[in-house]
């Protein structure tokens, strides 16, 4: 139940820390598993809870965020919860208006068109004032989880957020946003720096509120090649990990594991392995053995079953999971999909995925 507002103190004792142990590279009896977008539209109870409310109004309602975060855990023995929220709350904190349009997705009413538009953004963001509702949702959810599993907090990464702010929504080419990188490199860096600073404070605030791990989503990395990624994405990804860690130390907050998920960025795996994240998340377009060879043994890998594999019959899902576990090995590994769950997926197939990870990894560990 997600009722009373409670303080970020005296949290219940954690009963299942498998996910955190794997993230830190400690030994686990089974491979932990969670799914990106596990609190989502594929669950009938999610659609019911969300039916009456605007998407971003839901994000601003801590009790609803808590309820939506807990729903998948009532169905499946997942090893982690991820707070229900959205990456676009950060551009909202900078003063931009984003609405959810049915059939189209998130849409910015006034995207950034010219360099001068950067002046319209809040240059100093008080994250508690602007995003305190996320912190409240995290604290409430951490209590309501009753120590069942750890709670993951997250943010979009600067390039991904910048691309949305300029494109005004989704795009197949990101041509408007990428043209800024080529035409206005200085202004692009100004915007990316502004975003990184907000993200750093936002992630530290999430840990203060009770998040036990953090994931940074660079969902649009695939639109950049190695050079643009090197110039406009990687420096900020690195800086966020380092700054978050040093601020957590300064504020005597727990040093939580951090995950970087840069979708379609195989060209950057070696760099991401040295970007100061405990875990590197992978999409489904890379072989586990290749990823391990590039990333080395000192970083935990997370991923990477093709989400569409969940359309397969349940026995087939089991076979695919077994093959994936054999590719990654059961240690220093967190099982996940290579991207989020899709709205038309069968919850029973999600359950089959989770159970297959536990069963096969236990079997492999025993033998």
């Amino acid at each position: 139940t997600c009722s009373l507002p409670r303080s970020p103190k005296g949290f219940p004792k954690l009963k299942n820390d498998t996910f955190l142990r794997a993230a830190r590279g400690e030994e686990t009896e089974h491979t932990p598993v969670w799914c990106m977008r596990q609190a989502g539209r594929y669950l009938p109870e999610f659609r019911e809870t969300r039916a009456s409310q605007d998407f971003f109004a839901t994000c601003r309602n801590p009790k609803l965020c808590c309820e939506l975060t807990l729903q998948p855990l009532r169905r499946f023995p997942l090893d982690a919860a991820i707070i229900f929220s959205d990456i676009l709350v950060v551009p909202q904190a900078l003063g931009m208006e984003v609405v959810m349009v049915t059939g189209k997705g998130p849409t910015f009413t006034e995207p950034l068109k010219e360099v001068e538009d950067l002046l319209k953004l809040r240059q100093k963001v008080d994250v508690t004032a602007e995003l305190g509702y996320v912190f409240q949702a995290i604290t409430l959810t951490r209590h309501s989880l009753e120590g069942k599993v750890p709670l993951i907090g997250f943010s979009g990464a600067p390039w991904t957020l910048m691309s949305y702010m300029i494109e005004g929504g989704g795009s197949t080419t990101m041509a408007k946003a990428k043209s800024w990188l080529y035409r206005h490199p200085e202004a692009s860096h100004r915007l990316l720096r502004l975003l990184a600073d907000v993200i750093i404070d936002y992630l530290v605030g999430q840990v203060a509120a009770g998040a036990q791990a953090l994931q940074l989503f660079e969902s649009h990395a695939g639109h950049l090649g190695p050079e643009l990624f090197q110039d406009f994405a990687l420096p900020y990804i690195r800086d966020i990990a380092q700054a978050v860690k040093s601020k957590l130390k300064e504020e005597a907050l727990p040093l939580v594991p951090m995950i970087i998920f840069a979708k379609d960025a195989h060209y950057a795996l070696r760099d991401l392995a040295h970007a100061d994240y405990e875990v590197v998340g992978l999409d489904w377009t890379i072989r586990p053995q290749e990823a391990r060879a590039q990333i080395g043994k000192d970083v935990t890998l997370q991923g990477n079953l093709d989400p569409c594999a969940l359309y397969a019959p349940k026995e087939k899902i089991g076979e695919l999971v077994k093959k994936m576990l054999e590719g990654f090995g059961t240690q220093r590994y967190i099982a996940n999909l290579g991207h989020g769950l899709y709205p038309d997926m069968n919850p029973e197939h999600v359950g089959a995925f989770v159970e297959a990870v536990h069963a096969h990894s236990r079997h492999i560990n025993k033998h």
Side-chain angles (χ1 to χ4, degrees):
T1 54
C2 302
S3 49
L4 305 164
R6 304 175 205 183
S7 76
K9 291 193 178 61
F11 286 126
K13 190 173 182 313
L14 186 58
K15 297 171 192 141
N16 171 4
D17 66 347
T18 315
F19 163 80
L20 294 178
R21 290 212 313 275
R24 292 191 294 255
E26 296 163 19
E27 207 172 311
T28 61
E29 295 76 73
H30 68 264
T31 296
V33 55
W34 67 280
C35 298
M36 291 185 271
R37 296 209 194 110
Q38 66 189 23
R41 292 171 295 176
Y42 71 102
L43 291 175
E45 58 269 36
F46 175 95
R47 291 195 293 271
E48 210 173 295
T49 307
R50 278 262 357 262
S52 60
Q53 268 212 318
D54 164 71
F55 177 80
F56 286 108
T58 305
C59 290
R60 288 189 287 273
N61 182 325
K63 274 164 89 163
L64 282 181
C65 290
C66 172
E67 167 59 24
L68 294 169
T69 303
L70 295 183
Q71 283 176 352
L73 294 156
R74 295 188 190 121
R75 279 191 184 241
F76 317 117
L78 293 153
D79 293 289
I82 183 163
I83 194 68
F84 176 81
S85 185
D86 194 85
I87 63 171
L88 299 181
V89 299
V90 170
Q92 287 176 333
L94 287 166
M96 294 189 81
E97 191 188 5
V98 192
V99 293
M100 196 56 85
V101 178
T102 315
K104 190 179 168 198
T107 306
F108 284 74
T109 49
E110 290 182 42
L112 304 174
K113 290 197 171 76
E114 306 300 331
V115 170
E116 298 74 62
D117 293 342
L118 294 182
L119 300 171
K120 296 180 192 165
L121 300 174
R122 273 192 193 103
Q123 302 303 308
K124 269 272 167 265
V125 174
D126 173 347
V127 290
T128 309
E130 299 301 329
L131 296 165
Y133 58 87
V134 179
F135 303 155
Q136 287 168 344
I138 287 173
T139 301
L140 182 56
T141 306
R142 173 86 187 267
H143 281 291
S144 305
L145 275 167
E146 296 173 335
K148 198 172 171 179
V149 293
L151 179 61
I152 304 168
F154 70 90
S155 173
W159 154 250
T160 294
L161 295 179
M162 170 182 171
S163 62
Y164 271 115
M165 291 158 76
I166 295 171
E167 296 289 342
S171 155
T172 50
T173 59
M174 297 292 158
K176 289 180 192 157
K178 283 176 73 176
S179 81
W180 273 54
L181 304 181
Y182 286 110
R183 285 163 48 224
H184 314 303
E186 289 83 6
S188 295
H189 280 299
R190 255 198 342 264
L191 175 54
L192 292 162
R193 181 72 262 161
L194 176 62
L195 284 161
D197 289 342
V198 177
I199 291 162
I200 291 160
D201 289 346
Y202 180 43
L203 290 173
V204 170
Q206 291 186 45
V207 176
Q212 290 154 289
L214 297 169
Q215 177 154 312
L216 190 68
F217 284 87
E218 189 69 282
S219 312
H220 296 168
H223 292 278
L224 303 176
E227 282 77 24
L228 288 179
F229 188 85
Q230 200 75 39
D231 289 347
F232 295 100
L234 187 64
Y236 299 98
I237 288 171
R238 275 201 190 115
D239 187 49
I240 287 167
Q242 289 159 0
V244 166
K245 287 174 180 177
S246 72
K247 285 198 173 196
L248 291 174
K249 275 191 193 131
E250 270 166 42
E251 296 180 27
L253 288 165
L255 276 178
V256 304
M258 294 179 72
I259 307 164
I260 175 67
F261 175 61
K263 189 170 178 295
D264 298 320
H266 327 137
Y267 56 79
L269 288 182
R270 285 177 203 281
D271 290 323
L272 292 170
H274 300 106
D276 225 1
Y277 289 78
E278 285 67 29
V279 183
V280 172
L282 304 164
D283 61 70
W284 68 92
T285 62
I286 186 155
R287 289 194 176 86
Q289 297 84 339
E290 281 174 34
R292 184 64 81 189
Q294 290 191 52
I295 285 171
K297 292 191 170 53
D298 301 328
V299 176
T300 294
L301 297 179
Q302 175 177 284
N304 75 338
L305 192 73
D306 180 353
C308 291
L310 297 190
Y311 295 122
K314 289 187 201 170
E315 330 46 275
K316 178 71 175 159
I317 293 172
E319 287 164 32
L320 293 166
V321 165
K322 183 168 179 275
K323 195 172 165 212
M324 179 171 83
L325 284 160
E326 286 163 356
F328 280 108
T330 58
Q331 302 297 322
R332 259 213 183 278
Y333 171 54
I334 295 161
N336 205 316
L337 302 172
H339 199 224
L341 286 158
Y342 302 146
D344 63 347
M345 286 182 163
N346 180 342
E348 284 182 22
H349 288 219
V350 178
F353 167 65
V354 173
E355 277 152 34
V357 170
H358 287 160
H360 289 298
S361 62
R362 282 201 174 96
H363 182 79
I364 294 170
N365 284 343
K366 275 205 189 93
H367 302 273

